Every structure is written in structure tokens, then in C-alpha cells.
């Protein structure tokens, strides 16, 4: 059995020199999938209030198709939360956020959203479940945390420290470019064949 890693289109996600600010934090994923619904509700209920104790104006964009009524209600109750529904292109939301958050507690499958955020040059904070199966390294190229307090602390640190946020994003981009770009993955698949 040979394993071919998930690949990401580095050129497609490459961050432009200028991008419009969208939100401090972004969560990208299909919002009709139970693990994404659970993770988003958990983040808003348990983690975002802890972040806002220190950063009261922190904003969150929830970007993904078919948001459930429960997800839509989050934005109705909080003007600092935007739920987009289907968007023609997720890249501006990744480029326009300071951090990508992946607070998943359940679910499986490939975590392409993390490699895409890394390719977009956006630093990422994730739960261990959210990054399960990915070849990433805490704290070198991602922050991996599993309690509401530690998740909030990592977000606060990176929101307040642009130098560290940029370092993390650069390390992450270097990782996906060297090991998970479509060119690298295709070459490995070709070698195996």
C-alpha cells in the first residue's frame, strides 16, 4: 500500500499583495456537515467569549455553503459574527482574516481546509481532531490546542503579535509548498506508478 498525500494548488491560493480585511478570524467549511456545525457552535459558545475578554471587538466569519438555522442564528445574535453561506471564492475570506480557526471535535476525512489556509498565507489555530492525519507541527507551522482556554490563548497571542502570526504563516506556506503542492503530490504519484 502506498500513500499519496492531499495536494493543494499553491498558485491558486497565493496571497495577493493587497487584500480587503474581512474578519479577525475565519472558519471555512461546508456548514451542512455536522462536525462543522458542532465545531462552530462550540467555538462561538466556549472560545470566542474568552477571546473577547481580552479583545472585545474580535470578529468571526463563518464561510461555507448551506448554513444550518442554528449557524444562521449565531450571526443574528452577534453583530461581530458574519455567516456568508455559499461564496463564489473562499480565497478573499482567507486572505482577509488574521487567523483561520478549525475547532473541530468530531469527524473524519481529509483536512484540506488547513492546507488551503496555509497556502493562502493565513496562520491557523486548530484542535487536534481538526488537524488529524495532517503532517503539521505545533508550534512551528500551526497551533494545536484542545481546551477552550488554550484555544483562546493561542488566538489572542497571534492576533496581538503580528510578527509571530506572520512567522507561523510563512512556515506553514513553506511546508505546503515543499510537501503538499499539487506538483509535489503529482510527482510522488507518478513515481509510485
Amino acid at each position: 500500500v502506498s500513500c499519496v498525500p492531499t495536494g493543494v494548488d499553491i498558485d491558486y491560493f497565493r496571497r495577493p499583495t493587497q487584500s480587503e480585511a474581512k474578519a479577525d478570524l475565519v472558519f471555512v467549511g461546508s456548514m451542512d456537515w455536522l462536525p462543522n456545525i458542532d465545531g462552530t457552535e462550540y467555538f462561538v459558545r466556549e472560545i470566542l467569549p474568552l477571546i473577547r475578554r481580552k479583545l472585545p471587538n474580535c470578529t468571526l466569519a463563518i464561510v461555507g455553503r448551506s448554513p444550518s438555522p442554528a449557524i444562521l442564528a449565531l450571526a443574528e445574535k452577534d453583530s461581530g459574527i458574519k455567516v456568508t453561506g455559499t461564496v463564489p471564492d473562499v480565497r478573499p475570506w482567507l486572505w482577509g482574516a488574521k487567523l483561520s480557526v478549525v475547532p473541530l471535535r468530531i469527524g473524519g476525512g481529509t483536512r484540506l481546509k488547513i492546507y488551503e489556509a496555509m497556502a493562502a498565507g493565513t496562520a491557523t489555530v486548530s484542535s487536534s481532531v481538526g488537524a488529524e492525519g495532517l503532517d503539521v507541527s505545533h508550534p512551528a507551522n500551526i497551533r494545536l490546542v484542545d481546551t477552550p482556554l488554550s484555544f483562546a490563548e493561542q488566538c489572542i497571542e497571534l492576533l496581538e503579535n503580528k510578527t509571530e502570526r506572520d512567522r507561523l504563516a510563512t512556515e506553514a506556506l513553506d511546508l505546503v509548498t515543499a510537501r503538499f503542492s499539487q506538483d509535489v503530490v503529482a510527482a510522488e504519484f507518478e513515481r509510485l506508478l
Side-chain angles (χ1 to χ4, degrees):
V1 174
S2 300
C3 179
V4 178
T6 299
V8 64
D9 188 337
I10 300 296
D11 293 329
Y12 181 75
F13 282 95
R14 188 174 316 281
R15 180 180 289 271
T17 53
Q18 296 290 325
S19 56
E20 176 189 349
K22 299 279 192 182
D24 296 314
L25 309 171
V26 65
F27 177 87
V28 175
S30 298
M31 294 314 302
D32 54 356
W33 192 52
L34 179 61
N36 286 344
I37 295 169
D38 173 78
T40 303
E41 289 178 324
Y42 162 69
F43 184 83
V44 170
R45 186 180 62 248
E46 303 288 332
I47 300 168
L48 189 58
L50 298 175
I51 295 170
R52 286 182 170 164
R53 285 184 190 167
K54 182 78 186 269
L55 303 171
N57 298 319
C58 184
T59 57
L60 169 67
I62 301 168
V63 180
R65 72 171 188 244
S66 304
S68 69
I71 296 300
L72 292 171
L74 298 175
E76 292 169 6
K77 296 176 189 171
D78 186 331
S79 62
I81 297 175
K82 179 169 182 58
V83 177
T84 67
T86 300
V87 294
D89 190 346
V90 299
R91 294 174 303 167
W93 293 94
L94 290 170
W95 297 331
K98 294 177 182 172
L99 290 177
S100 172
V101 293
V102 187
L104 299 184
R105 302 188 295 175
I106 56 175
T110 58
R111 308 299 198 222
L112 191 56
K113 69 181 82 187
I114 290 179
Y115 284 161
E116 289 176 348
M118 290 176 160
T122 306
T124 302
V125 179
S126 177
S127 63
S128 296
V129 170
E132 196 170 55
L134 298 184
D135 192 3
V136 293
S137 300
H138 168 88
N141 49 44
I142 193 171
R143 298 293 173 87
L144 297 175
V145 285
D146 288 317
T147 67
L149 182 59
S150 59
F151 206 115
E153 288 172 344
Q154 292 298 313
C155 289
I156 291 166
E157 177 193 341
L158 293 169
L159 288 169
E160 291 186 322
N161 186 339
K162 184 178 184 320
T163 301
E164 177 59 13
R165 187 171 72 239
D166 289 348
R167 183 208 63 76
L168 189 69
T170 299
E171 289 288 329
L173 178 58
D174 290 348
L175 170 73
V176 294
T177 300
R179 302 198 37 222
F180 304 109
S181 70
Q182 287 182 341
D183 290 343
V184 170
V185 169
E188 174 61 10
F189 186 51
E190 185 177 54
R191 185 191 69 76
L192 290 170
L193 291 177

